[in-house]
Amino acid sequence: MNDDLLDLDRRNGLPAEWLTLLSRHPRSSWQSPGTLGMTAQFWLDRHQAFRQLGQALQDSIEALRAGRSAPEDFQAGFVPRLRLFLGELNGHHQVEDLHYFPVFRQAEPDLAPGFELLDRDHQTLHAELIATAEAANALLQALARDPSAAEGPLETYAEISGDLLSGLLRHLDDEEDLVIPLMIELGEIG
Ligand SMILES: [Fe+2]
Ligand SMILES: [Fe+2]
């Protein structure tokens, strides 16, 4: 498969040649007692928190669009949660790039192309994260000026943040498929 077909917005999963360990340790086995160490479970929990927070932010945008929430109520919940989401996501990717991926690459050189792809995902997601923050600022400024005239910035934000969330969901699933079986295989001591 060439690299372009593996881009975050085009692929539907990882190539089979990187998923040998996943077939040995399928998702259905992960929650069996004693299978996951603390780090793997923590990592999965972080990913789940990103999925939930990302979806909650999209839901609050949908509520604003549909007129189910007033602009001031929307802002009170949206601003701190978006700040948390973007900040934590950025920190999570840095920890993976700097600490986890180098260790995994060294432990399993055959999977190095997989970690390069995840690294590239982080760059894509980072650009989308910045675009989302900018679109959010434009939306908040428009709401402060005149909520009845904020439709354009609202649509722009919904589209840009929707791209971030769909890319993130793809990335989280693929990263888990690569990393969790490797952590189970290696064990976590050391
Ligand atoms: Fe990641
Ligand atoms: Fe991650």
Side-chain angles (χ1 to χ4, degrees):
M1 212 181 279
N2 77 35
D3 282 357
D4 292 343
L5 293 176
L6 286 179
D7 279 351
L8 192 52
D9 57 349
R10 296 183 69 188
R11 68 177 191 256
N12 294 313
L14 296 177
E17 65 259 34
W18 299 346
L19 298 177
T20 315
L21 290 177
L22 180 64
S23 52
R24 203 181 306 166
H25 305 287
R27 280 180 177 265
S28 57
S29 72
W30 293 356
Q31 293 305 332
S32 302
T35 303
L36 296 183
M38 280 172 60
T39 307
Q41 188 59 58
F42 174 76
W43 195 321
L44 286 177
D45 291 346
R46 294 288 288 161
H47 282 187
Q48 200 50 25
F50 286 128
R51 290 182 181 100
Q52 285 168 354
L53 189 51
Q55 191 55 56
L57 285 163
Q58 286 311 97
D59 290 347
S60 71
I61 283 291
E62 284 311 314
L64 181 66
R65 264 169 132 180
R68 292 195 305 275
S69 69
E72 48 292 1
D73 297 336
F74 160 78
Q75 288 185 43
F78 176 78
V79 172
R81 281 188 298 173
L82 181 66
R83 195 170 289 145
L84 181 71
F85 180 66
L86 298 179
E88 292 290 314
L89 194 55
N90 192 39
H92 179 73
H93 291 168
Q94 284 176 349
V95 169
E96 289 176 343
D97 287 339
L98 294 175
H99 298 288
Y100 284 98
F101 291 177
V103 172
F104 294 144
R105 270 196 193 102
Q106 204 173 11
E108 195 60 59
D110 288 351
L111 291 179
F115 289 105
E116 275 156 31
L117 182 74
L118 295 177
D119 231 323
R120 213 165 72 219
D121 287 353
H122 288 173
Q123 292 169 32
T124 303
L125 291 169
H126 190 73
E128 291 180 348
L129 189 149
I130 288 171
T132 295
E134 288 172 356
N137 283 334
L139 170 60
L140 294 170
Q141 283 167 15
L143 288 171
R145 276 196 303 272
D146 179 3
S148 67
E151 196 177 323
L154 181 54
E155 294 309 309
T156 302
Y157 177 82
E159 187 181 333
I160 290 175
S161 63
D163 287 347
L164 172 63
L165 183 60
S166 62
L168 178 64
L169 295 178
R170 176 76 271 146
H171 172 78
L172 295 174
D173 282 357
D174 290 346
E175 189 171 87
E176 290 168 1
D177 284 347
L178 204 65
V179 165
I180 298 296
L182 183 58
M183 284 174 134
I184 294 170
E185 192 77 11
L186 295 173
E188 291 185 9
I189 295 166

